Amino acid sequence: MQRIFISFIAFSFFLISCKKDSSTTYNSSVKADLSVEFDNIAGSQDLQLNTGKYITESGDTIKSITKLKYFVSNFSFTNMDGTVYTVPQDSSYFLVIEGDSSTYEPNFKVPEGEYKSVSFILGVDSVRNTLDVSKRTGVLDVTSPATADMYWTWNSGYIFYKLEGTSPQVPSMGGMGGNNFYYHIGLFGGKTTSTINNIKKVTLDLTARGTPKVKSGKDTNIHLMVDVLKMFSGTNSISIAAHSMVMTDDYSANIAANFVGMFRHDHTEN
Amino acid sequence: MSVKRNNILAFLFFFAGTYACKKEMGNSSFEGFQQPSNFPAPEYHFETNALTQAGFELGRKLFYETQLSHNNTISCGSCHIQTSAFVHPGHSVSHGIYDRLGKRNSPPIMNLAWSTSFMWDGGIFDLDLQPLAPIANHVEMDDTISNLLVKLGKTTDYPTLFQKAFGTPEITGTRFLKALVQFMVMCVSSHSKYDSVMRNEGASFTSTEQAGYVLFQQKCNSCHKEPLFTDHTFRNNGLPPSGLNDEGRYLVTLNSTDRYKFKVPSLHNIFYTEPYMHDGRYFDLEGVLEYYNSGAQNTTNLDTLLKQNGRLGIPLTSVDKTNLIAFLKTLSDRSFLLDKRFSEH
């Protein structure tokens, strides 16, 4: 019985390797499934809301992370031959919410083929920031429960990235119940007067850690790691003690400058 | 004299008659947005929010709806009172839920179809997005819009009213916002004496008013530009910052050249919209005029118009002030304050 089983396994290995050897043919006029997974981590640990404790590169202690939400949008995928597939606007906006696993894996239909890079923006572009409310559907609906706290009502615009938590480094504010940090980063450049633009484009190479091979009949998943601790280091070193609350102020640009470094391609499930 | 009086009476009767007629026809004769001939083309995007009678009436009901606030005590109409051109009279900064203090004075809901931005600092660039701010603001109504939509969905009347306005009973955020805006853009004030004079409808300025008008054009009109009495820009008119140190437009743009700038407010119905300035620091127009004459400070970004000829502010003699006030009175539009279409029903 065991022997039969083993030979069955050997046989199926054979089949699989056979399939692998014969070079796959792609039909670029056929679209197939591709997902991009946003796996939030903190340094070398998985990110755990409320319970995880982490240390930033500059030595600040994060006692807890209570909220992490961010918009990713305007996805495009570049094929091995350089052809760029841009995801249609109406299906290119996603809100990743730590704690809600249904938001971790945006799904796309892209032409069959092998892709060498993925691009997206962290945030919401200025066109969508200034769109008529009737066209703001899905995660862009500013009246929906998930999105309402990702929108500045008094300074029209989406909050691109929100990280909240507690740290002993936060000077406690007299009576306000201290130790909380708030990073609410937005600002799309302004509608009539130009303001800071904190929209960041992220482009990641996919060849080094597993080229996605998109083919109908199967799911391909690009697994990204999103390291929140990198928000505190990289281009700028962010001290929690000195900047525990950053919203619409000039300093937001220093944090946004670290955004791109938070993302890396970990592996691909083909 | 008595002939004249009879004429006036007859005229009044005629008026009352047409008014009554209009009222009777009431529901079937929604006129939509009326463009006053002396105003420029509106800025509001009517193409994405076609006004209908049912939409407007729903918006009005929502405007006066206390269920919009967390503890069901405050409506938009609590801070924007019609008989005061929709400001909050006597309140320098508006009182919201639980009487927590906001930091700014509530501006009028009036001629908003011509505005290019909203709030004293212009932080909101589309009127459709405006109602989100007071509802979410902890100092004002302290509720979330999604809570509120659920709350309205459970009432007996709102689903029907949304159906009438939008074809189906769903209460969506977009519909909620569009309906409120339908009400607000309809609040047009264009029947002041000033407007009648400008439209050559028979009224004319007295000599004092005329002298005030001439003065106004010389000294005020570059910012409070006719016929809306604002050029929609942000300027620092020299008010010394208060303890709150409200930095105005700077909070929105973060450009240092915008520090202490506030939106030039319209002066339509100025006699009804006290207190004055973004923080409501002046309680009468005499105070405002004396401020322009002697109170302006050389703060960061003070407008150059307020430092002419080596002097701060705008020199005004007491005769100038009397004339200006007479002119400013011609901007009162009582019919707007009493218009039943805009009142709570």
Side-chain angles (χ1 to χ4, degrees):
Chain A
M1 182 61 176
Q2 213 172 20
R3 201 167 278 168
I4 297 177
F5 189 55
I6 287 173
S7 57
F8 175 72
I9 288 179
F11 177 69
S12 37
F13 261 119
F14 175 66
L15 274 184
I16 290 172
S17 50
C18 253
K19 207 172 160 193
K20 261 212 160 142
D21 282 346
S22 67
S23 75
T24 319
T25 53
Y26 298 109
N27 181 350
S28 65
S29 55
V30 173
K31 290 209 177 102
D33 293 307
L34 173 64
S35 56
V36 179
E37 183 170 348
F38 290 85
D39 189 349
N40 297 319
I41 61 170
S44 50
Q45 303 175 58
D46 188 32
L47 195 148
Q48 297 288 337
L49 273 190
N50 305 313
T51 53
K53 287 189 177 44
Y54 315 101
I55 311 277
T56 69
E57 204 177 273
S58 49
D60 287 349
T61 302
I62 292 177
K63 220 170 93 195
S64 67
I65 288 177
T66 52
K67 188 178 265 192
L68 171 65
K69 290 172 93 166
Y70 53 87
F71 280 103
V72 282
S73 68
N74 290 269
F75 282 79
S76 66
F77 299 91
T78 306
N79 199 297
M80 284 304 188
D81 66 14
T83 320
V84 178
Y85 176 73
T86 303
V87 175
Q89 277 287 308
D90 60 5
S91 41
S92 207
Y93 292 81
F94 303 89
L95 178 57
V96 177
I97 307 171
E98 179 61 25
D100 177 354
S101 58
S102 70
T103 67
Y104 297 164
E105 252 180 75
N107 275 295
F108 306 96
K109 290 273 186 203
V110 305
E112 286 188 355
E114 303 191 356
Y115 288 89
K116 64 177 178 190
S117 68
V118 56
S119 290
F120 54 88
I121 68 174
L122 179 59
V124 177
D125 51 276
S126 62
V127 173
R128 297 282 149 162
N129 258 294
T130 52
L131 209 61
D132 192 82
V133 287
S134 58
K135 302 217 175 72
R136 300 180 185 217
T137 53
V139 297
L140 294 176
D141 179 355
V142 293
T143 68
S144 74
T147 306
D149 73 342
M150 293 299 281
Y151 191 78
W152 281 314
T153 59
W154 47 273
N155 185 4
S156 310
Y158 292 95
I159 297 169
F160 304 155
Y161 174 94
K162 196 177 232 191
L163 179 76
E164 295 179 357
T166 59
S167 161
Q169 267 76 45
V170 179
S172 100
M173 292 177 285
M176 293 263 293
N179 304 129
N180 298 318
F181 59 76
Y182 303 88
Y183 300 106
H184 298 182
I185 312 298
L187 297 177
F188 66 91
K191 189 182 184 194
T192 46
T193 313
S194 75
T195 67
I196 293 175
N197 185 335
N198 283 329
I199 298 173
K200 295 293 169 192
K201 183 170 180 179
V202 180
T203 299
L204 298 170
D205 167 71
L206 301 172
T207 58
R209 301 184 67 94
T211 306
K213 302 176 161 89
V214 181
K215 181 96 177 117
S216 31
K218 75 180 188 76
D219 290 331
T220 306
N221 176 270
I222 300 171
H223 194 116
L224 306 182
M225 294 297 193
V226 187
D227 184 352
V228 294
L229 295 188
K230 291 263 160 58
M231 192 210 92
F232 295 93
S233 57
T235 309
N236 303 302
S237 176
I238 310 295
S239 145
I240 298 182
H243 300 280
S244 58
M245 190 182 316
V246 182
M247 298 182 182
T248 46
D249 62 52
D250 288 326
Y251 198 76
S252 65
N254 295 20
I255 291 181
N258 292 343
F259 280 162
V260 172
M262 294 167 54
F263 297 87
R264 67 165 197 267
H265 180 215
D266 190 72
H267 64 275
T268 300
E269 284 143 38
N270 266 309
Chain B
M1 188 61 189
S2 77
V3 175
K4 210 172 178 188
R5 186 172 288 151
N6 276 343
N7 271 345
I8 289 178
L9 271 181
F11 178 73
L12 277 179
F13 270 124
F14 174 70
F15 217 84
T18 46
Y19 186 63
C21 267
K22 223 170 162 183
K23 246 201 153 166
E24 238 166 48
M25 295 174 49
N27 291 357
S28 56
S29 65
F30 178 66
E31 289 162 335
F33 183 78
Q34 300 290 307
Q35 164 73 29
S37 62
N38 62 324
F39 282 16
E43 294 285 335
Y44 184 70
H45 45 89
F46 290 99
E47 69 281 6
T48 62
N49 193 8
L51 302 196
T52 60
Q53 173 152 11
F56 163 76
E57 286 175 359
L58 171 60
R60 176 176 61 203
K61 188 171 163 65
L62 290 170
F63 191 85
Y64 291 107
E65 181 56 76
T66 53
Q67 293 187 69
L68 264 50
S69 66
H70 180 63
N71 63 0
N72 299 332
T73 54
I74 292 179
S75 72
C76 312
S78 312
C79 295
H80 300 286
I81 298 170
Q82 184 188 6
T83 48
S84 302
F86 293 102
V87 304
H88 201 182
H91 287 78
S92 48
V93 293
S94 62
H95 290 241
I97 193 163
Y98 312 129
D99 244 8
R100 283 184 264 181
L101 277 184
K103 65 176 179 183
R104 296 201 184 137
N105 183 228
S106 54
I109 305 297
M110 166 185 78
N111 298 342
L112 293 182
W114 286 271
S115 294
T116 48
S117 69
F118 306 89
M119 303 306 215
W120 280 101
D121 56 19
I124 297 173
F125 50 64
D126 185 342
L127 188 54
D128 290 359
L129 296 165
Q130 208 289 328
L132 295 170
I135 290 168
N137 188 326
H138 287 279
V139 196
E140 295 181 358
M141 301 168 93
D142 198 11
D143 206 341
T144 66
I145 182 140
S146 44
N147 267 353
L148 167 67
L149 300 176
V150 172
K151 207 148 82 171
L152 296 180
K154 288 188 186 142
T155 59
T156 48
D157 43 353
Y158 277 106
T160 320
L161 296 172
F162 275 79
Q163 162 123 40
K164 270 171 87 182
F166 299 105
T168 60
E170 274 83 56
I171 299 181
T172 66
T174 300
R175 289 173 170 189
F176 170 84
L177 296 171
K178 296 278 183 189
L180 264 172
V181 170
Q182 290 203 20
F183 171 68
M184 292 196 282
V185 291
M186 282 292 289
C187 294
V188 175
S189 172
S190 65
H191 295 289
S192 66
K193 179 172 183 183
Y194 161 84
D195 293 302
S196 306
V197 173
M198 293 303 133
R199 288 195 296 259
N200 297 315
E201 290 169 349
S204 55
F205 286 142
T206 64
S207 57
T208 327
E209 289 165 354
Q210 180 61 32
Y213 182 41
V214 170
L215 205 60
F216 186 88
Q217 287 180 309
Q218 287 164 3
K219 308 209 168 190
C220 321
N221 194 52
S222 17
C223 302
H224 299 283
K225 191 163 166 277
E226 294 179 76
L228 293 158
F229 293 93
T230 170
D231 65 353
H232 303 294
T233 61
F234 301 88
R235 302 185 187 241
N236 175 354
N237 73 341
L239 293 172
S242 74
L244 284 169
N245 195 30
D246 189 339
E247 294 176 303
R249 181 75 176 153
Y250 171 77
L251 299 173
V252 169
T253 67
L254 302 175
N255 296 328
S256 58
T257 51
D258 286 333
R259 207 167 247 133
Y260 302 123
K261 288 186 181 171
F262 291 87
K263 188 161 56 184
V264 175
S266 167
L267 302 178
H268 265 286
N269 291 308
I270 193 71
F271 261 82
Y272 302 107
T273 60
E274 57 82 15
Y276 304 115
M277 304 302 176
H278 68 270
D279 54 3
R281 67 176 75 181
Y282 287 104
F283 283 88
D284 57 33
L285 285 173
E286 286 76 10
V288 171
L289 294 184
E290 185 47 38
Y291 160 74
Y292 275 115
N293 180 44
S294 66
Q297 306 285 307
N298 196 8
T299 52
T300 321
N301 301 319
L302 173 66
D303 203 283
T304 49
L305 288 169
L306 293 176
K307 34 182 173 184
Q308 305 282 309
N309 311 317
R311 180 193 189 287
L312 294 179
I314 302 172
L316 296 170
T317 65
S318 60
V319 176
D320 288 346
K321 289 189 214 161
T322 310
N323 293 344
L324 269 176
I325 286 182
F327 169 68
L328 292 173
K329 276 193 174 146
T330 71
L331 303 180
S332 297
D333 174 3
R334 276 186 68 74
S335 71
F336 175 68
L337 308 186
L338 303 174
D339 195 327
K340 288 273 183 290
R341 292 176 303 157
F342 308 140
S343 312
E344 188 167 5
H345 277 60

